[in-house]
Amino acid sequence: MSVERPASGRRSKNVSSQEPEGWRTGPAWREMNGRAARKRRILGAVGVVAAAAATLAVLRPELVLSRIPGAWDGGKSDAKTASHGTPAPMAPETARPSGAPGSTEGVATPDRPFAGSPAEQYADGAAGIVLPEAQAVGTMSQEQVAAGLKLAKDFLVAANLDPAVIRGERPAAALALLDPYQDDLVTHTNTALGKPDRDHDPVTLFSRFDAKEVRMVGETVKTRGRLTFAEHKDGSVGIHADVTFVYPLAKKAQGSRAVERTIVRRVLDTDLLDPERFRVTPGRLTVRSYDVDIANSACGVHDGFLHPVFDEGRPSGKAPSGPAVDPYDRSRDLDTGRGEGCGTVTRT
């Protein structure tokens, strides 16, 4: 299978300094892979076909985390045993895997939308985002580290698992978790949501589809990933999240039964900073950088939404270039050095 991958540009911006003398701002945030981290499937059962059409998407959430299916503190789905012929779930990911996982048998259908992919063995919703046991690190207590880990996970849940956000609504709950002192990031994100373009695309942070064109198949997003933390040289704590989200989708048209999957892998680095030393808002997220890799979304479209492509609607044209990438291979680093253009993925 072939998938088109858009350019992988990098951007960085600095947080404005508004603190009194002797105070310090948090780190400048970087959108490491914001320009290109979108891929699109363009091949049928055999040959490579090509390039540039898309579907649209819209979103907005007034979400309450406790009401999200599989919300992080209530997801129980990893404990499920296999039923109806589906394989048993994988054990939670607690360390970097050594290679790509195998796939389950079958082809995606409305009844088994994850069949034929590793995602069928992933956990449901936020249950697949594994938190490590918190410990005191640097200048931060165990309780502060635990709160920082929870905050980072809450943001990932609000940005990628809220049903309203997925169907195209504004990610209000996720935005409410960002520290307003990072005014450059907040401004950039609001611009991306209001007037998306190549340099301001909200899909670099939020998983959004056009509810007028596609719909979720069922209510489950499969997830796999983990959070880690480490001390910085100044005694603050960095929290690193690496999570893959798998969305099963069908066309909005009545009677459409073809199922496709869009795979979104997000890497989010945040910082836990001492409010006695840094100008930060307690209980809000300080973002250092984020990176995203997306499989099966139209190449070169920057309208603020992900655009899954279906076999029966794929366009023809120039074949994509670049090495093939397995979007389920969580052993690899995200390639922040990707050049302009589109590449391929081996499976969705």
Side-chain angles (χ1 to χ4, degrees), residues 7-335:
S8 297
R10 300 183 65 181
R11 280 200 299 275
S12 64
K13 295 197 178 186
N14 295 319
V15 178
S16 299
S17 177
Q18 299 177 350
E19 69 284 351
E21 184 178 355
W23 286 51
R24 299 170 59 190
T25 59
W29 68 275
R30 291 186 301 151
E31 187 182 359
M32 296 168 61
N33 188 21
R35 249 186 218 187
R38 306 176 66 195
K39 297 178 180 168
R40 167 192 174 187
R41 176 177 177 179
I42 51 171
L43 151 101
V46 188
V48 173
V49 283
T55 353
L56 293 175
V58 191
L59 299 101
R60 164 210 143 213
E62 39 233 2
L63 106 146
V64 179
L65 291 176
S66 62
R67 297 173 61 187
I68 299 175
W72 89 270
D73 56 348
K76 301 176 182 176
S77 49
D78 336 314
K80 292 180 180 177
T81 56
S83 62
H84 305 295
T86 59
M90 296 179 184
E93 183 176 288
T94 56
R96 186 180 184 131
S98 58
S103 293
T104 61
E105 295 182 355
V107 176
T109 65
D111 293 330
R112 283 184 64 193
F114 301 101
S117 81
E120 195 165 36
Q121 294 179 278
Y122 286 6
D124 295 354
I129 307 173
V130 179
L131 295 183
E133 182 178 353
Q135 298 177 5
V137 175
T139 61
M140 297 294 158
S141 67
Q142 180 180 6
E143 292 75 18
Q144 288 173 311
V145 172
L149 290 166
K150 179 182 182 299
L151 183 60
K153 184 166 184 176
D154 282 349
F155 180 83
L156 290 167
V157 168
N160 299 282
L161 295 178
D162 175 56
V165 175
I166 293 170
R167 64 176 176 260
E169 300 184 24
R170 183 176 175 83
L175 293 172
L177 296 177
L178 298 176
D179 194 328
Y181 283 127
Q182 285 196 296
D183 56 344
D184 197 30
L185 172 59
V186 171
T187 298
H188 176 88
T189 303
N190 283 323
T191 298
L193 288 164
K195 295 181 179 180
D197 59 28
R198 183 182 179 84
D199 295 322
H200 304 82
D201 196 335
V203 301
T204 59
L205 266 179
F206 311 109
S207 295
R208 315 173 75 222
F209 298 88
D210 188 347
K212 298 188 297 294
E213 299 195 7
V214 296
R215 58 181 170 81
M216 278 277 291
V217 177
E219 299 180 349
T220 301
V221 177
K222 290 289 190 175
T223 60
R224 187 158 184 83
R226 67 196 184 279
L227 275 68
T228 56
F229 61 92
E231 181 182 359
H232 290 318
K233 291 181 180 180
D234 61 5
S236 62
V237 176
I239 294 175
H240 179 78
D242 184 343
V243 182
T244 297
F245 302 87
V246 185
Y247 301 89
L249 302 149
K251 290 184 176 181
K252 183 69 171 179
Q254 187 174 4
S256 177
R257 293 182 57 81
V259 177
E260 293 289 349
R261 292 180 290 257
T262 291
I263 302 101
V264 180
R265 182 179 172 190
R266 297 194 182 277
V267 170
L268 175 70
D269 286 291
T270 63
D271 284 294
L272 188 57
L273 303 173
D274 184 351
E276 297 296 323
R277 300 169 55 213
F278 294 87
R279 189 173 178 87
V280 293
T281 305
R284 299 292 186 91
L285 199 68
T286 299
V287 177
R288 178 178 292 267
S289 66
Y290 53 88
D291 201 354
V292 61
D293 200 3
I294 301 172
N296 192 17
S297 182
C299 179
V301 179
H302 304 288
D303 60 358
F305 306 106
L306 301 174
H307 300 288
V309 175
F310 295 80
D311 276 342
E312 67 269 26
R314 68 184 187 272
S316 60
K318 183 181 177 181
S321 59
V325 172
D326 182 352
Y328 291 101
D329 184 1
R330 292 183 44 77
S331 68
R332 67 181 178 89
D333 288 324
L334 293 191
D335 181 10

